[in-house]
Amino acid sequence: DVKVTQSSRYLVKRTGEKVFLECVQDMDHENMFWYRQDPGLGLRLIYFSYDVKMKEKGDIPEGYSVSREKKERFSLILESASTNQTSMYLCASSLRGLGEGRETQYFGPGTRLLVL
Amino acid sequence: AQSVTQPDIHITVSEGASLELRCNYSYGATPYLFWYVQSPGQGLQLLLKYFSGDTLVQGIKGFEAEFKRSQSSFNLRKPSVHWSDAAEYFCAVGIYNQGGKLIFGQGTELSVKP
């Protein structure tokens, strides 16, 4: 059974803190993604990676960075958290790199981040 | 530019009634289309997907969707809704040759009345 896990379900941080969100998949997938989900806006892509040490900006990368040192792990970093980064963060993975767009994405349960 | 629109933010149906959730897309090439469901407190789960061939696709949990190229639509349907179907539903289009990137719609929240 496919599995994407995220390090925390709920997180509370203070403005200016550095925040790490971790995502691990056990399916040997090449692609990994970070989204944020806000009411009425759906899912917006922050960053994605199609291989180890490779990363591509998504639609809303400002204020975020990512790290992928191992195939199974993709980290999202908020260098200096701000209140407008309060959101639900979802990680996903899919099988092939630079694919045709057909790949099913498998999602983790999400991390709800509150920045005070 | 590629985009996905779900015109209905929130829909309420009675248990046992039929359901149709609307999805319209804008994409220059042949679209790869997906419907995902998110139950409360959970991540997203794939319901069904369309790549080519038969325009009526069957998915899990009794859902189906019909691709209509002339209307740029991929509406999700279920003949009889169950209380456990209450969730948020997302339509998405797969972007060719961009690492499996998906563009999601805004989502439709489904409530089910007893």
Side-chain angles (χ1 to χ4, degrees):
Chain A
D1 199 15
V2 298
K3 191 100 180 203
V4 179
T5 56
Q6 295 183 228
S7 50
S8 306
R9 293 299 300 268
Y10 301 94
L11 213 50
V12 180
K13 296 292 181 181
R14 298 234 173 249
T15 303
E17 279 193 76
K18 191 169 186 176
V19 181
F20 292 87
L21 303 182
E22 303 285 335
C23 175
V24 177
Q25 51 94 2
D26 65 357
M27 298 165 284
D28 202 34
H29 284 174
E30 285 89 350
N31 298 341
M32 295 189 75
F33 307 83
W34 275 107
Y35 296 90
R36 66 176 281 176
Q37 181 181 8
D38 299 289
L41 297 178
L43 277 73
R44 293 179 292 166
L45 183 64
I46 304 171
Y47 268 96
F48 67 103
S49 167
Y50 54 86
D51 201 352
V52 175
K53 297 191 184 292
M54 304 299 289
K55 61 185 179 184
E56 294 282 343
K57 291 181 180 179
D59 300 316
I60 51 164
E62 296 80 17
Y64 304 94
S65 62
V66 291
S67 171
R68 194 167 181 201
E69 297 295 321
K70 293 185 178 181
K71 190 176 186 180
E72 67 271 17
R73 188 179 298 269
F74 192 35
S75 302
L76 179 69
I77 304 154
L78 287 65
E79 296 289 343
S80 177
S82 64
T83 55
N84 63 12
Q85 292 179 309
T86 290
S87 187
M88 169 74 95
Y89 290 88
L90 292 166
C91 175
S93 70
S94 66
L95 183 57
R96 283 192 291 270
L98 286 177
E100 299 176 328
R102 306 186 184 204
E103 299 81 7
T104 297
Q105 291 190 17
Y106 297 88
F107 284 81
T111 296
R112 191 168 292 281
L113 173 67
L114 173 62
V115 182
L116 299 174
Chain B
Q2 308 99 343
S3 66
V4 177
T5 301
Q6 295 178 245
D8 304 306
I9 296 172
H10 189 207
I11 284 182
T12 300
V13 300
S14 298
E15 192 167 14
S18 64
L19 171 70
E20 182 169 29
L21 301 182
R22 295 183 291 164
C23 172
N24 293 98
Y25 67 89
S26 173
Y27 188 59
T30 300
Y32 302 133
L33 296 161
F34 303 79
W35 274 100
Y36 284 84
V37 61
Q38 184 181 34
S39 298
Q42 304 294 319
L44 278 69
Q45 179 186 19
L46 180 70
L47 279 177
L48 48 80
K49 55 190 177 184
Y50 170 79
F51 297 152
S52 64
D54 192 347
T55 57
L56 186 63
V57 293
Q58 302 297 321
I60 63 171
K61 305 185 182 190
F63 285 91
E64 66 179 26
E66 186 171 13
F67 170 61
K68 293 185 177 180
R69 184 186 299 276
S70 62
Q71 298 177 19
S72 298
S73 70
F74 188 55
N75 294 347
L76 182 71
R77 301 194 293 246
K78 187 170 185 178
S80 177
V81 169
H82 187 262
W83 64 266
S84 61
D85 293 324
E88 191 156 20
Y89 292 80
F90 293 93
C91 182
V93 62
I95 305 301
Y96 178 77
N97 209 24
Q98 287 194 28
K101 181 179 174 180
L102 292 177
I103 302 293
F104 283 88
Q106 302 91 325
T108 297
E109 185 174 355
L110 173 67
S111 297
V112 181
K113 290 190 299 186

